[in-house]
mmCIF file of all heavy atoms in Angstrom:
data_model
loop_
_atom_site.group_PDB
_atom_site.id
_atom_site.type_symbol
_atom_site.label_atom_id
_atom_site.label_comp_id
_atom_site.label_asym_id
_atom_site.label_seq_id
_atom_site.Cartn_x
_atom_site.Cartn_y
_atom_site.Cartn_z
ATOM 1 N N ILE A 22 -224.307 19.877 -28.323
ATOM 2 C CA ILE A 22 -225.724 19.978 -28.151
ATOM 3 C C ILE A 22 -226.444 19.448 -29.362
ATOM 4 O O ILE A 22 -227.474 18.811 -29.259
ATOM 5 C CB ILE A 22 -226.126 21.485 -27.936
ATOM 6 C CG1 ILE A 22 -225.499 21.974 -26.630
ATOM 7 C CG2 ILE A 22 -227.644 21.680 -27.914
ATOM 8 C CD1 ILE A 22 -225.584 23.515 -26.428
ATOM 9 N N PHE A 48 -251.445 19.488 -33.150
ATOM 10 C CA PHE A 48 -251.671 20.824 -33.662
ATOM 11 C C PHE A 48 -252.505 20.731 -34.949
ATOM 12 O O PHE A 48 -252.529 19.808 -35.635
ATOM 13 C CB PHE A 48 -250.319 21.505 -34.038
ATOM 14 C CG PHE A 48 -249.489 21.921 -32.804
ATOM 15 C CD1 PHE A 48 -248.376 21.200 -32.462
ATOM 16 C CD2 PHE A 48 -249.836 23.021 -32.085
ATOM 17 C CE1 PHE A 48 -247.636 21.595 -31.334
ATOM 18 C CE2 PHE A 48 -249.110 23.440 -31.038
ATOM 19 C CZ PHE A 48 -247.970 22.701 -30.625
ATOM 20 N N VAL A 98 -224.160 31.813 -32.716
ATOM 21 C CA VAL A 98 -223.861 32.032 -31.284
ATOM 22 C C VAL A 98 -224.627 33.225 -30.709
ATOM 23 O O VAL A 98 -224.934 33.177 -29.539
ATOM 24 C CB VAL A 98 -222.350 32.198 -31.103
ATOM 25 C CG1 VAL A 98 -221.602 30.926 -31.379
ATOM 26 C CG2 VAL A 98 -221.771 33.377 -31.863
ATOM 27 N N TYR A 110 -233.732 32.680 -17.433
ATOM 28 C CA TYR A 110 -234.761 33.450 -16.788
ATOM 29 C C TYR A 110 -236.045 32.673 -16.606
ATOM 30 O O TYR A 110 -236.721 32.667 -15.517
ATOM 31 C CB TYR A 110 -235.027 34.749 -17.590
ATOM 32 C CG TYR A 110 -236.295 35.510 -17.129
ATOM 33 C CD1 TYR A 110 -236.298 36.217 -15.965
ATOM 34 C CD2 TYR A 110 -237.418 35.482 -17.884
ATOM 35 C CE1 TYR A 110 -237.453 36.876 -15.568
ATOM 36 C CE2 TYR A 110 -238.609 36.116 -17.521
ATOM 37 C CZ TYR A 110 -238.570 36.827 -16.326
ATOM 38 O OH TYR A 110 -239.721 37.466 -15.902
ATOM 39 N N LYS A 148 -271.012 5.248 -16.967
ATOM 40 C CA LYS A 148 -271.166 6.156 -18.138
ATOM 41 C C LYS A 148 -270.254 5.664 -19.306
ATOM 42 O O LYS A 148 -270.631 5.803 -20.465
ATOM 43 C CB LYS A 148 -270.761 7.585 -17.754
ATOM 44 C CG LYS A 148 -271.603 8.202 -16.706
ATOM 45 C CD LYS A 148 -271.056 9.591 -16.424
ATOM 46 C CE LYS A 148 -271.799 10.316 -15.318
ATOM 47 N NZ LYS A 148 -271.246 11.630 -15.004
ATOM 48 N N GLU A 188 -263.638 18.241 -26.902
ATOM 49 C CA GLU A 188 -263.439 19.609 -27.422
ATOM 50 C C GLU A 188 -263.348 20.654 -26.257
ATOM 51 O O GLU A 188 -262.525 21.505 -26.304
ATOM 52 C CB GLU A 188 -264.629 19.973 -28.337
ATOM 53 C CG GLU A 188 -264.509 19.419 -29.728
ATOM 54 C CD GLU A 188 -263.187 19.809 -30.415
ATOM 55 O OE1 GLU A 188 -262.814 21.000 -30.382
ATOM 56 O OE2 GLU A 188 -262.523 18.944 -31.014
ATOM 57 N N GLU A 281 -193.214 44.539 -39.896
ATOM 58 C CA GLU A 281 -191.968 44.261 -39.151
ATOM 59 C C GLU A 281 -190.980 43.443 -39.960
ATOM 60 O O GLU A 281 -189.734 43.679 -39.877
ATOM 61 C CB GLU A 281 -192.321 43.459 -37.849
ATOM 62 C CG GLU A 281 -193.086 44.347 -36.831
ATOM 63 C CD GLU A 281 -193.615 43.518 -35.637
ATOM 64 O OE1 GLU A 281 -193.448 42.260 -35.714
ATOM 65 O OE2 GLU A 281 -194.117 44.152 -34.716
#
Side-chain angles (χ1 to χ4, degrees):
I22 297 171
F48 287 106
V98 293
Y110 168 74
K148 296 179 184 177
E188 281 302 314
E281 290 173 354

